[in-house]
């Protein structure tokens, strides 16, 4: 059975804020993700009407398993959009749909000079490792917006992933099933025996016709 999912290819600030409210109903998710900087103005004030194509979030590597479980338990999980469907040794994140908007969650690891962000592109199926050398003091931010709500943002956008700081790789191909050939010798013996018996029967029939024809000539 094919399951179809519908989501906006383009949406505005009002739709973004509505989708954010869905996340707020899942505190384990909302309190552990950081919105990319392109959504900051919409999240802080919501006054300017902007257009977006999806929502990209990052989270600590340690919490992504819990976030995935919460998304699954709220029936928002899409297995085909999860990097774990491949036999990776690492978690590259996943995507899901909430409020008709596509969310992509990318786990990150903090390093001495910045962060390493893992990401999974559901369209190209590339899994990427992006190394960012940044000022960690300002990279992650938690601020209160005009409505008195804490919003977590980060100084990162999907456009920051480029060929200079990112290693991409395609998922491993599935191995073709191995095939073995078994020869049954008994079957060959039986086939050979049947062949010999057939030859004998034919010879007997020919001999019988020969004897009858010989007697007729006499």
């Amino acid at each position: 059975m094919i399951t179809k999912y519908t989501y906006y290819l383009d949406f505005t600030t009002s739709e973004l804020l509505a989708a954010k409210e869905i996340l707020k109903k899942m505190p384990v998710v909302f309190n552990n993700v950081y919105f990319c900087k392109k959504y900051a103005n919409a999240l802080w004030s919501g006054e300017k009407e902007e257009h977006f194509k999806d929502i990209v979030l990052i989270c600590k590597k340690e919490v992504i398993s819990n976030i995935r479980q919460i998304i699954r338990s709220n029936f928002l999980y899409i297995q085909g959009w999860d990097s774990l469907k491949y036999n990776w040794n690492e978690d590259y994140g996943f995507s899901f749909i909430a409020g008709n908007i596509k969310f992509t969650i990318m786990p990150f690891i903090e390093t001495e000079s910045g962060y390493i962000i893992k990401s999974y592109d559901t369209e190209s199926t590339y899994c990427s490792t992006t190394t960012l050398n940044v000022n960690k003091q300002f990279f992650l931010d938690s601020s209160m917006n005009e409505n008195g709500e804490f919003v977590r943002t980060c100084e990162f956008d999907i456009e920051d992933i480029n060929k200079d700081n990112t290693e991409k790789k395609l998922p491993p191909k599935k191995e073709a099933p191995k095939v073995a050939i078994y020869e049954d010798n008994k079957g060959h013996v039986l086939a050979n025996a049947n062949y010999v018996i057939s030859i004998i029967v034919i010879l007997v029939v020919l001999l019988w016709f020969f004897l009858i024809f010989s007697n007729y000539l006499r």
Side-chain angles (χ1 to χ4, degrees):
M1 185 175 102
I2 299 176
T3 304
K4 296 182 178 180
Y5 300 95
T6 302
Y7 61 97
Y8 299 131
L9 295 177
D10 179 89
F11 56 91
T12 62
T13 299
S14 58
E15 276 113 17
L16 184 153
L17 296 177
K20 182 202 65 175
E21 293 301 312
I22 297 176
L23 292 192
K24 287 179 63 178
K25 295 178 181 179
M26 300 178 286
V28 172
V29 177
F30 187 72
N31 295 332
N32 284 286
V33 296
Y34 295 83
F35 289 80
C36 287
K37 59 186 177 183
K38 72 170 63 176
Y39 318 110
N41 290 331
L43 294 170
W44 282 331
S45 66
E47 295 178 355
K48 183 180 178 182
E49 192 72 359
E50 300 179 77
H51 286 262
F52 308 95
K53 293 184 178 180
D54 54 12
I55 297 179
V56 178
L57 310 168
I58 68 171
C59 71
K60 293 181 179 179
K61 177 184 177 182
E62 293 80 8
V63 300
I64 192 168
S65 294
N66 290 337
I67 290 175
R68 181 184 279 107
Q69 184 57 42
I70 296 299
I71 295 299
R72 191 193 297 270
S73 63
N74 281 271
F75 306 102
L76 301 173
Y77 179 76
I78 301 174
Q79 185 175 8
W81 281 0
D82 193 342
S83 64
L84 292 187
K85 71 178 182 177
Y86 302 106
N87 294 324
W88 295 113
N89 294 324
E90 299 179 81
D91 194 333
Y92 289 84
F94 64 100
S95 296
F96 65 95
I97 296 174
N100 292 324
I101 289 177
K102 180 181 179 182
F103 287 81
T104 297
I105 297 185
M106 304 176 179
F108 69 81
I109 304 169
E110 185 175 352
T111 65
E112 291 184 1
S113 58
Y115 298 89
I116 295 176
I117 297 178
K118 304 285 185 178
S119 59
Y120 173 60
D121 188 328
T122 58
E123 296 183 6
S124 68
T125 70
Y126 271 105
C127 286
S128 302
T129 301
T130 301
T131 303
L132 298 176
N133 296 319
V134 298
N135 187 336
K136 294 191 291 183
Q137 183 178 355
F138 302 105
F139 185 74
L140 302 176
D141 180 68
S142 180
S143 302
M144 184 177 292
N145 63 15
E146 295 181 358
N147 297 321
E149 171 188 68
F150 274 101
V151 177
R152 294 165 180 81
T153 58
C154 60
E155 284 296 312
F156 170 75
D157 271 332
I158 197 72
E159 290 78 14
D160 294 331
I161 298 177
N162 56 63
K163 63 179 181 179
D164 296 324
N165 63 14
T166 301
E167 177 188 353
K168 293 185 177 182
K169 56 184 179 180
L170 284 170
K173 294 182 179 179
K174 290 185 178 179
E175 292 186 4
K178 296 180 180 179
V179 177
I181 298 176
Y182 169 71
E183 294 186 359
D184 189 347
N185 292 329
K186 292 181 179 179
H188 287 294
V189 171
L190 182 61
N192 291 335
N194 290 335
Y195 177 75
V196 172
I197 293 173
S198 299
I199 295 297
I200 292 173
V201 170
I202 293 173
L203 291 175
V204 170
V205 171
L206 290 175
L207 179 61
W208 183 73
F209 273 108
F210 176 75
L211 292 175
I212 293 178
F213 184 71
S214 298
N215 293 332
Y216 178 76
L217 291 178
R218 291 177 187 176

